[in-house]
Amino acid sequence: MELRLLEHPADVGIEINASSLKEAFEAAARGMMSIIVEDLPPDGTKTPTHLIRSIEVDGIDGENLLVNWLSEVLYLYDAEKLITVRADITGFTATSLRAMLHLEQLHPAVHHPRLDVKAVTYHQIVAEVGETSARVRVFFDI
Amino acid sequence: MVSLLKKDEYRYLILRANRQGMRVDGLVYANDKLIRQIEKDLTIEQVINVATLPGIVKYSLAMPDAHQGYGFAIGGVAAMDAEKGVVSAGGVGFDINCGVRLLCAPFTAEQIHPKLEPLLNQLFQDIPSGTGRRGLLNLAKNQLDRVLERGAKWAVEAGYGTGADLSHIEESGCIPGADPMRVSDHAKERGKGQLGTLGSGNHFLEVQVIDEIYDGAVAAVFGLFKGNITVLIHTGSRGLGHQVCTDYLDVMMRAMPQYGIKVVDRQLACVPINSPEGKNYLSAMAAAANFAFANRQMITHWTRQAFERILGNGDLPLVYDVAHNIAKREEYVVNGQKRNLLVHRKGATRAFPPGHPALSPDYQQVGQPVLIPGSMGTYSYVLVGTELAMEETFGSTCHGAGRAKSRTAAKKEITADQLLKDLRQKGILVKGASKSGLAEEGPAAYKDVTEVVDVVHNAGIARKVARLVPIAVMKG
């Protein structure tokens, strides 16, 4: 899996190449969180504030599903101050997914919030599967 | 390759012939230098894309501060026929009713100078700012619903400010038709802990000195006098508004096929204004806009308290409060005919002329104050609305400096420590929640606000009244 930060005149995007769309979606959740907090705990970190929550998301196609998925992860951060440290997608179709989110409560002194992501956009969005790999690209409104 | 037709020194046309599907021409306000900057990103492409939307009237417009956004360019204006046109959630943007308000303070620069640092510290202590910060209130659901229905009126009734403030806010701080039922639980959950917070990114509160007056008579009506202090507050509807836009982009995207609408960019998802989805969005948008008006009203109250505590006088009258991300039902004469339109302003400011019925009696004789914040450490401007803006731009003008560089490029150019040092040398105190965020918002990241303002002034779509220079900046 390879994650690259993308430039935009006002905002920030990410592009991920992975072996499957499911893996790319999982990495996109962590990628977005790494924009929001400077010190995102390593994947798999378990602390006393560690929580697991299951969510289900649907969409009309892959791109819509990607936006709705990341919007749910963002919602948990913005409304409940829960940082997604790891996302395990346990069920994945072209228009729906089910996931277990490993969450940690935000502690500003530990995680150092960096930027507020306002929303996940459709600007130049990509969610595509190639012959041997998958690619997602998404920009965030800062 | 798109060809731009230079109409005059400040106007560039993008003729319909440039692209199949354009229903109207594009019109970009810029001088030779700004148009070159605008051409560097996807702004022109986005102006063209907006020109393809159903029901668009006259022009797809871009102001001189325009830069690439999502779907619409930031700095874009599009008016849709109220009966046959569409509403686009992306045409308002994620930060619904992001806007600015200006207060004038009963002090001169000399009087405030010895207490400036304690004042900035007090403001920073009293007004929650920065990413991840919660507000001082945690509203129950029914209280939040009242905020969404009543906006700044709720805030005044709850003791934040006075009734006199309301007449100096666009729509008196309460957009009619707001319906909390059309706002999702997700949006309410995001918003309930964020009322009365500045946020982060480009949001700020600035203490300024009026250093230049261009129109003394109008400035006096606005309460602005050379050497006096002002406070400019820039923030919006926080997570609540962001979620409303996210929710309705999804609704509109799913509904478009039933109305036979196809868009060239998904971020332009739209539905007929009078469809159930369109009406619901406008009710939710009005609710989010009201949240933003209440937000700025509460921050105003705490600003006044900080002035009272540090300087012994918190009597800071509100000059004006304007939205720069909004869709409004307004009436215009187009080709000699009165038309009811829905005007999308995405990073653009309403600029109504003298005599407009929407203005407070205080400003009927001179026109609406137009507030143009600059980038950190540079000037901000107060302008006044003109009749020409009604004829050409659906009563709209620019909204700020407009970004010129990406966040990464801005950080490469200057460190936060160097930026703070440079600003301090210029006599500007800065307090920010995030050092990294500071460098990303440095002046080099933005266009020259003076150049932007000169274009709208010279083009006649707003007129310069006063220039403000910052002395203390609080960044989120």
Side-chain angles (χ1 to χ4, degrees):
Chain A
M1 191 279 297
E2 182 192 321
L3 184 147
R4 197 160 63 89
L5 276 180
L6 304 172
E7 300 266 322
H8 179 280
D11 302 306
V12 183
I14 51 174
E15 184 166 293
I16 294 160
N17 287 293
S19 59
S20 68
L21 210 47
K22 170 182 150 326
E23 188 190 337
F25 271 48
E26 288 171 343
R30 257 188 77 83
M32 181 177 71
M33 291 312 307
S34 69
I35 291 170
I36 295 171
V37 295
E38 275 181 10
D39 293 309
L40 182 64
D43 194 347
T45 302
K46 285 189 178 167
T47 64
T49 57
H50 188 85
L51 302 169
I52 294 179
R53 199 173 290 186
S54 93
I55 62 168
E56 289 183 26
V57 182
D58 71 354
I60 53 176
D61 54 31
E63 294 169 357
N64 184 227
L65 182 64
L66 176 62
V67 169
N68 291 348
W69 156 242
L70 294 176
S71 296
E72 278 303 303
V73 172
L74 177 61
Y75 165 77
L76 289 170
Y77 173 75
D78 202 38
E80 301 186 36
K81 299 290 163 255
L82 293 172
I83 297 171
T84 295
V85 175
R86 180 187 176 91
D88 288 331
I89 295 177
T90 53
F92 192 82
T93 73
T95 56
S96 70
L97 67 80
R98 200 170 52 247
M100 302 289 276
L101 297 180
H102 295 249
L103 304 158
E104 201 171 289
Q105 194 72 45
L106 172 74
H107 291 292
V110 175
H111 302 110
H112 301 111
R114 198 178 77 89
L115 282 176
D116 274 336
V117 167
K118 290 177 184 167
V120 185
T121 81
Y122 290 92
H123 178 73
Q124 297 182 341
I125 193 166
V126 172
E128 65 184 15
V129 184
E131 281 187 9
T132 57
S133 64
R135 181 169 74 109
V136 303
R137 181 175 64 206
V138 60
F139 283 88
F140 305 106
D141 190 17
I142 304 293
Chain B
M1 181 70 185
V2 175
S3 77
L4 294 174
L5 183 67
K6 189 169 178 178
K7 200 176 166 197
D8 62 28
E9 211 173 334
Y10 304 108
R11 290 169 181 81
Y12 288 82
L13 269 176
I14 311 166
L15 296 174
R16 258 173 287 185
N18 271 289
R19 186 75 50 86
Q20 199 176 5
M22 282 178 78
R23 296 167 193 260
V24 293
D25 294 338
L27 177 59
V28 183
Y29 288 81
N31 61 16
D32 287 347
K33 184 179 165 194
L34 288 170
I35 198 73
R36 282 197 298 276
Q37 281 183 308
I38 287 170
E39 283 183 294
K40 278 183 185 167
D41 62 23
L42 295 176
T43 306
I44 298 294
E45 198 63 27
Q46 292 180 332
V47 172
I48 289 172
N49 291 345
V50 169
T52 67
L53 293 177
I56 187 166
V57 172
K58 204 171 171 183
Y59 289 118
S60 168
L61 295 161
M63 296 296 135
D65 50 336
H67 65 82
Q68 176 186 324
Y70 301 115
F72 275 59
I74 311 296
V77 177
M80 312 307 190
D81 183 277
E83 295 301 317
K84 297 176 189 158
V86 292
V87 57
S88 166
V92 172
F94 290 104
D95 199 352
I96 295 167
N97 189 8
C98 184
V100 279
R101 67 164 51 192
L102 185 72
L103 313 172
C104 55
F107 299 103
T108 63
E110 291 73 29
Q111 288 169 330
I112 207 171
H113 193 72
K115 298 275 185 77
L116 193 58
E117 193 142 12
L119 176 67
L120 183 59
N121 289 338
Q122 191 71 49
L123 289 164
F124 200 75
Q125 185 182 312
D126 294 350
I127 301 167
S129 67
T131 172
R133 278 290 301 275
R134 285 186 189 276
L136 304 172
L137 301 182
N138 203 353
L139 297 173
K141 191 173 171 298
N142 63 338
Q143 287 175 302
L144 181 59
D145 285 353
R146 296 292 85 71
V147 175
L148 300 180
E149 284 166 351
R150 297 186 58 73
K153 289 180 180 168
W154 171 87
V156 167
E157 285 158 8
Y160 300 94
T162 69
D165 293 337
L166 297 175
S167 64
H168 286 190
I169 306 175
E170 184 172 339
E171 297 286 348
S172 301
C174 177
I175 294 186
D179 183 356
M181 295 288 286
R182 303 300 168 201
V183 177
S184 70
D185 287 344
H186 262 29
K188 290 176 184 175
E189 283 298 317
R190 281 180 78 172
K192 74 177 188 187
Q194 295 183 359
L195 188 62
T197 63
L198 196 62
S200 66
N202 62 354
H203 293 158
F204 65 80
L205 183 151
E206 216 170 68
V207 181
Q208 310 162 318
V209 180
I210 302 166
D211 88 321
E212 192 73 54
I213 297 283
Y214 303 100
D215 186 329
V218 175
V221 173
F222 292 169
L224 304 174
F225 301 95
K226 190 169 179 176
N228 277 16
I229 295 295
T230 56
V231 176
L232 192 67
I233 298 162
H234 177 207
T235 187
S237 52
R238 313 286 291 112
L240 184 135
H242 311 160
Q243 189 68 40
V244 166
C245 182
T246 296
D247 293 339
Y248 280 91
L249 268 174
D250 192 62
V251 167
M252 289 180 182
M253 212 168 284
R254 290 172 195 256
M256 276 195 305
Q258 77 189 74
Y259 300 110
I261 298 172
K262 286 183 180 166
V263 288
V264 290
D265 176 344
R266 298 190 85 162
Q267 196 70 33
L268 291 173
C270 55
V271 289
I273 293 166
N274 293 320
S275 65
E277 297 85 358
K279 288 177 183 167
N280 289 348
Y281 168 70
L282 286 168
S283 296
M285 183 213 72
N290 289 344
F291 183 94
F293 283 133
N295 193 31
R296 292 196 286 273
Q297 186 65 34
M298 292 170 74
I299 292 172
T300 297
H301 176 69
W302 293 322
T303 300
R304 288 169 173 159
Q305 282 189 335
F307 269 77
E308 177 74 41
R309 199 163 297 152
I310 301 299
L311 292 150
N313 189 344
D315 182 19
L316 281 74
L318 175 54
V319 178
Y320 211 62
D321 178 313
V322 276
H324 50 225
N325 286 353
I326 199 88
K328 303 280 288 287
R329 288 180 188 272
E330 293 166 2
E331 191 181 270
Y332 291 92
V333 176
V334 181
N335 298 329
Q337 281 194 319
K338 266 190 186 174
R339 301 271 299 267
N340 289 314
L341 304 174
L342 184 75
V343 182
H344 295 69
R345 295 192 181 93
K346 170 82 175 286
T349 312
R350 197 185 77 173
F352 281 173
H356 195 288
L359 297 185
S360 138
D362 297 342
Y363 298 140
Q364 277 292 328
Q365 296 295 314
V366 293
Q368 180 208 306
V370 174
L371 313 173
I372 309 298
S375 54
M376 187 168 32
T378 63
Y379 300 116
S380 293
Y381 286 85
V382 179
L383 291 80
V384 66
T386 63
E387 197 55 54
L388 192 64
M390 297 300 284
E391 291 168 24
E392 286 194 13
T393 56
F394 306 106
S396 311
T397 195
C398 64
H399 87 307
R403 275 194 88 93
K405 287 187 179 142
S406 73
R407 291 174 183 278
T408 317
K411 275 197 294 188
K412 275 181 194 157
E413 203 136 307
I414 195 164
T415 64
D417 287 333
Q418 186 60 45
L419 176 62
L420 287 171
K421 197 173 149 196
D422 291 354
L423 291 171
R424 192 171 274 272
Q425 275 174 354
K426 285 163 85 178
I428 305 167
L429 300 180
V430 180
K431 214 165 162 64
S434 152
K435 272 199 173 181
S436 162
L438 267 183
E440 292 176 12
E441 292 294 328
Y446 286 84
K447 294 174 193 171
D448 179 354
V449 67
T450 298
E451 199 139 18
V452 167
V453 163
D454 282 345
V455 168
V456 298
H457 174 87
N458 291 330
I461 55 169
R463 212 174 66 244
K464 289 198 284 189
V465 174
R467 187 174 72 179
L468 318 169
V469 60
I471 53 173
V473 184
M474 173 176 153
K475 287 291 288 182

